[in-house]
Amino acid sequence: MKKVLVTGGTGLVGKALQDVIKNEQPSDEEWFFAGSKDADLTNLVATQALFEKVKPTHVIHLAAMVGGLFHNMNNNLDFLRNNLLINDHVLQTAHELGCTKVVSCLSTCIFPDKTSYPIDETMVHNGPPHVSNYGYSYAKRLIDIQNHAYHDKYGHLYTSVIPCNIFGPHDNYKPDVSHVIPGMINRMHKLRTEQPEIPETEKVFTVYGSGKPLRQFIYSLDLAKLMIWVLRNYNSVEPIVLSVDESAEVTIYEVAEAIAKAFNFKGKLICDTSKADGQYKKTASNAKLRSLLPDFKFTDFKTAIEASVLWYMINYDQARN
Ligand code: NDP
């Protein structure tokens, strides 16, 4: 019997894992989803107490200080320190309690700023990250270094996945913290519901930045399925990119259009070029994933946006606004 502890089990990806596992009901696995109320993982004693209580054989390590471009730009020190602490406590405690496998989460936004495209798993450490999120990036990159060090010293199979941008139900919609998709969903909802006396055709939705940057987005439920596959079947310390195909890359303006359509928004979209764009692109190759799992079907982007917007409208009162 495997006992799987999911740190960060209450967040966007954690909730998606909960959904997939609930439908699968595996008979040889017991899953425990921990949030920060179960243990503050920046605290070593609390981390150890959580592991002593759950006694996991396997860990999916999602817990992190996470945020969008603007939150990162203003808080690099906190992103660095909190994530360094969380990762060190989780990996060392997993080691001390004899966990067989740990799958941690990196991100495509930690790759070098100056690089060739597409980026792949071999390029994580090839140069400094974008200045906007260097705290988060270096803390995340060190997970890969730690995984190799645990393997070299103890032979452990502690590995990592590299997702592209994630979105879906249970995202973080708080304006100062959110990533681009939940941020736009929140603002579009406000624009539509506030000032009902103004006809919607006269309302204007502002896209932050030029709208031109390109991004790959993965639906959280697709990512959850892939992470479960990694936990069960991927047996290498080397990271693996979990991303949609390169052909599925979209511009930020196209994201805004998809969200507007999902809300049935009748007003106009404009771009505010005085706001930062972040990296122009960070196209990632999923060739390694495709070589191992060629038939995986990603949910169509517009369909996933519609499902995410619908979830937000239905669950507005409980969402992280
Ligand atoms: P969320 O912000 O939705 O969730 C973060 C999770 O971490 C929550 O469960 C939160 O617990 C937990 N957490 C945060 N701080 C602590 C702490 N000090 N102690 C214990 N738990 C803590 O993040 P996502 O689900 O979006 O991200 C999951 C992983 O994926 C992260 O490692 C992130 O870096 C990575 N990632 C995310 C991307 C994205 O676009 N969202 C892109 C690529 C990678 P609680 O809510 O209970 O406070």
Side-chain angles (χ1 to χ4, degrees), residues 159-231:
T159 189
S160 59
V161 298
I162 310 179
C164 58
N165 301 273
I166 310 162
F167 70 101
H170 303 277
D171 214 328
N172 190 344
Y173 304 88
K174 292 191 180 101
D176 298 340
V177 172
S178 56
H179 286 105
V180 58
I181 289 184
M184 280 193 195
I185 290 178
N186 176 312
R187 290 194 297 112
M188 179 66 84
H189 184 264
K190 274 209 181 84
L191 181 66
R192 293 199 67 221
T193 50
E194 285 174 359
Q195 297 183 290
E197 69 283 5
I198 302 179
E200 192 162 293
T201 45
E202 286 172 24
K203 291 188 175 178
V204 176
F205 180 80
T206 307
V207 179
Y208 294 164
S210 68
K212 289 180 186 159
L214 290 158
R215 294 289 181 268
Q216 286 156 299
F217 292 97
I218 187 168
Y219 189 39
S220 57
L221 286 134
D222 291 345
L223 178 64
K225 288 176 195 156
L226 290 172
M227 290 198 74
I228 293 166
W229 170 81
V230 168
L231 183 80

Side-chain angles (χ1 to χ4, degrees), residues 8 10-13 36 39-41 62 64 105-106 136 140 166 320:
T10 51
L12 166 66
V13 182
S36 61
D40 175 0
L41 300 173
L62 304 173
C105 224
L106 314 185
Y136 176 80
K140 285 283 183 187
I166 310 162
R320 287 183 279 175

Side-chain angles (χ1 to χ4, degrees), residues 2-3 21 25 31 37 49 84 91-92 103 119 124 126 164 170 172 180 201 206 223 229 237 308 319:
K2 279 186 202 155
K3 201 150 190 201
I21 288 297
Q25 299 195 321
W31 288 68
K37 287 204 183 90
L84 282 175
L91 291 173
Q92 177 61 16
V103 179
I119 45 182
V124 173
N126 284 0
C164 58
H170 303 277
N172 190 344
V180 58
T201 45
T206 307
L223 178 64
W229 170 81
V237 175
S308 306

